[in-house]
Amino acid sequence: MAESRSRTFTWSDPAETLSGLSTLPGVEALRRTISGEVPYPPMAHLMGMHLVEVEAGRVVWEAVPGEEHYNPIGTVHAGFATTLLDSAMGTAFVSTADAGTRWTTLELKANFTRAITAETGPVRCTGTVVHPGRTVVTTEARLEDREGRLLAHATSTILVLRD
């Protein structure tokens, strides 16, 4: 039997994150997430990812892939990359949104260009808004290693929910 490994993480009440996003303009809420004033959502803690840059229409997330992200074939599961891509694209939109804007992802298309392993080291995922429509927004993201080599890229369509 293989040696057991464990990883422990903690997170804040997700309602605190939602509160920050619903009362502040998106770019400000994300900046306050970086500063620690608004907590990260639990998924960010689970995946070990954090925001490092935010401006209107562009965000950058970082994470370090590890063996806890591995699939049965000895590489990092595509879900790790897809989570970073989806988060970057969603928060790129959020960085342009007014306080309290509700939205959902309609579609996400990802392409994987290089295997990711624990030896890949830190990765950066940059998300940008391509089309800032009133109801339908399109975004894209690039996941790169520390040398700037493309690991994966994606596009997303976001539906802005109107009351």
Side-chain angles (χ1 to χ4, degrees), residues 4-5 14 21 26 36 55 66 69-70 74 80 88 116 156 159 162:
S4 292
R5 294 173 171 90
L21 290 175
E55 61 186 71
H69 302 120
Y70 273 28
F80 174 82
I116 302 171
S156 176
L159 176 65
R162 304 284 178 201

Side-chain angles (χ1 to χ4, degrees), residues 70-123:
Y70 273 28
N71 59 30
I73 62 171
T75 61
V76 169
H77 192 281
F80 174 82
T82 305
T83 299
L84 281 163
L85 292 162
D86 184 43
S87 296
M89 291 184 293
T91 53
F93 163 69
V94 168
S95 73
T96 66
D98 295 331
T101 300
R102 294 175 36 245
W103 60 281
T104 189
T105 300
L106 284 176
E107 178 268 343
L108 182 149
K109 165 71 169 87
N111 295 282
F112 307 98
T113 60
R114 190 181 293 265
I116 302 171
T117 67
E119 289 74 37
T120 300
V123 296

Side-chain angles (χ1 to χ4, degrees), residues 8-23:
T8 304
F9 66 97
T10 58
W11 64 93
S12 299
D13 181 346
E16 292 179 44
T17 305
L18 180 59
S19 174
L21 290 175
S22 63
T23 59

